[in-house]
């Protein structure tokens, strides 16, 4: 574990910054850390492995990471241009969101992805069924430009391989000397709380069950250590029954009203390979 914690440069629903110590305590030593759902990368940024395989189904996210890996100086200079009062206006935000949705250029989309993430409501990443980013304006006084966080990510990305593949493929093709950490879109705490629009593909209950089955397979058949994060519900306790479960209490900050941002119960499901 690094001596100082590093924040992700993206605002991220369900980010693992506050749980880093507890997650790292569970993760064993290995050559490679495999993350099929890397998200904003807090575990990557705050762990020490020789190499990383970082995957996500969100193509915009992975393209941004690849550009930072290979062209960080240019990217940071271009992105900083958008963190001025001129661009922190509602009409301008929606103009840039429309520009993002109409662009096919990976560099332009990556710069605008960071802008939309920091200026949009609560740092949400949400797409409609047509694949259009649809998060509204966030109305922040002065959105923070995460220059030092971008620079640290770019520096550490030299150890990483980034892919945009189905999680099943990533887990099944994990190398021998690796551990797997899964932070999927969370199962709903209630029937009205399901959020599946992180990518066009969504992540329903069938996907949750498939991930749990694959975690057990990777542990029992492939000899991998697998750690999975999720909400603590009757459903997740059922699908993770073969694993060792560790209960956590975590503050979440996605609710609109501050007084309703309560602690929620989460689980770490630990799958240890058979000796």
């Amino acid at each position: 574990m690094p001596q100082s914690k590093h924040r992700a440069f993206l605002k991220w629903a369900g980010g693992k910054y506050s749980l880093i110590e507890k997650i790292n305590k569970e993760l064993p030593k290995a050559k490679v850390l495999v993350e099929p759902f890397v998200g904003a990368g807090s575990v990557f940024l705050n762990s020490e492995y020789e190499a990383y395989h970082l995957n996500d189904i969100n193509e915009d996210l992975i393209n941004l990471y690849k550009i930072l890996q290979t062209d960080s100086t240019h990217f940071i200079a271009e992105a900083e241009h958008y963190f001025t009062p001129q661009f922190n206006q509602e009409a301008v935000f929606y103009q840039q969101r429309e520009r993002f949705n109409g662009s096919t250029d990976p560099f332009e989309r990556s710069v605008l992805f960071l802008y939309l993430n920091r200026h949009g409501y609560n740092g949400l990443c949400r797409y409609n069924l047509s694949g259009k980013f649809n998060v509204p304006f966030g109305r922040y006084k002065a959105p923070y430009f995460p220059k030092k966080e971008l620079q640290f990510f770019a520096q550490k990305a030299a150890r990483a391989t980034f892919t945009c593949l189905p999680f099943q493929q990533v887990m099944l093709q994990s190398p021998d000397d690796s551990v797997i950490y899964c932070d999927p879109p969370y199962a709903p705490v209630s029937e009205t709380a399901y959020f599946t629009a992180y990518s066009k593909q969504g992540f329903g209950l069938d996907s949750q069950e498939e991930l749990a089955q694959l975690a057990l397979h990777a542990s029992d058949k492939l000899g991998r250590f697998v750690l999975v994060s999720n909400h603590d519900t009757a459903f997740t306790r059922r699908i993770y029954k073969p694993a060792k479960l560790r209960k956590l209490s975590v503050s979440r900050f996605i609710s609109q009203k501050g007084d309703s941002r309560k602690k929620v119960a989460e689980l770490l499901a630990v799958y240890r390979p058979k000796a």
Side-chain angles (χ1 to χ4, degrees):
M1 175 75 186
Q3 289 185 348
S4 59
K5 288 174 70 174
H6 297 278
R7 288 193 177 275
F9 65 85
L10 293 169
K11 298 168 70 176
W12 210 252
K16 291 296 175 288
Y17 182 81
S18 64
L19 291 177
I20 288 301
E21 293 85 358
K22 292 177 181 177
I23 291 170
N24 275 329
K25 187 177 180 180
E26 300 294 339
L27 289 173
K29 292 181 179 179
K31 182 179 180 181
V32 184
L33 177 66
V34 177
E35 293 197 59
F37 310 87
V38 66
S42 287
V43 174
F44 158 61
L45 293 169
N46 292 284
S47 59
E48 285 299 328
Y49 289 88
E50 184 178 329
Y52 295 85
H53 181 178
L54 306 177
N55 180 80
D56 204 280
I57 202 64
N58 187 314
E59 188 175 4
D60 290 315
L61 183 70
I62 295 301
N63 281 337
L64 167 54
Y65 290 167
K66 287 181 176 179
I67 287 170
L68 265 180
Q69 187 182 45
T70 59
D71 198 13
S72 62
T73 302
H74 181 205
F75 176 87
I76 291 170
E78 289 294 319
E80 193 166 13
H81 170 70
Y82 290 88
F83 286 74
T84 61
Q86 173 191 350
F87 285 92
N88 191 28
Q89 301 178 47
E90 187 168 5
V92 176
F93 174 87
Y94 288 115
Q95 289 171 1
Q96 299 308 315
R97 192 180 76 174
E98 186 175 352
R99 181 177 156 214
F100 172 84
N101 283 327
S103 176
T104 58
D105 177 72
F107 189 90
E108 180 181 43
R109 283 182 71 89
S110 293
V111 169
L112 291 173
F113 187 82
L114 176 60
Y115 163 78
L116 293 171
N117 173 265
R118 284 280 170 179
H119 290 75
Y121 178 73
N122 259 349
L124 290 175
C125 183
R126 189 182 66 198
Y127 300 81
N128 63 22
L129 293 176
S130 299
K132 304 296 185 183
F133 190 88
N134 64 355
V135 175
F137 184 55
R139 304 182 185 279
Y140 299 109
K141 185 176 180 180
Y144 170 67
F145 181 63
K147 186 172 184 177
K148 67 178 183 178
E149 291 85 353
L150 285 161
Q151 290 171 333
F152 182 80
F153 188 102
Q155 177 186 356
K156 193 163 186 182
R159 298 192 224 170
T161 298
F162 296 103
T163 58
C164 185
L165 298 168
F167 71 88
Q168 300 93 330
Q169 183 176 341
V170 174
M171 294 177 73
L172 290 172
Q173 296 178 354
S174 58
D176 287 342
D177 191 10
S178 66
V179 298
I180 302 172
Y181 171 61
C182 296
D183 184 27
Y186 273 18
V189 292
S190 67
E191 289 185 6
T192 59
Y194 217 172
F195 172 73
T196 60
Y198 168 70
S199 69
K200 287 179 286 185
Q201 293 83 358
F203 201 86
L205 296 182
D206 289 347
S207 297
Q208 298 283 355
E209 294 203 51
E210 185 178 7
L211 173 59
Q213 292 165 4
L214 196 54
L216 181 61
H217 173 83
S219 176
D220 282 358
K221 305 300 183 184
L222 303 181
R224 309 288 182 266
F225 175 97
V226 184
L227 183 66
V228 186
S229 300
N230 216 317
H231 279 141
D232 185 357
T233 68
F235 170 75
T236 56
R237 283 185 173 268
R238 176 177 66 79
I239 64 173
Y240 299 144
K241 190 174 181 180
K244 185 171 184 179
L245 301 181
R246 303 200 183 283
K247 187 173 181 177
L248 307 172
S249 183
V250 185
S251 294
R252 285 291 176 225
F253 299 96
I254 300 303
S255 174
Q256 185 174 4
K257 296 180 180 180
D259 58 2
S260 65
R261 298 179 182 184
K262 299 177 181 178
K263 286 185 177 293
V264 295
E266 295 196 10
L267 288 177
L268 288 177
V270 181
Y271 295 83
R272 295 187 183 278
K274 294 179 180 178

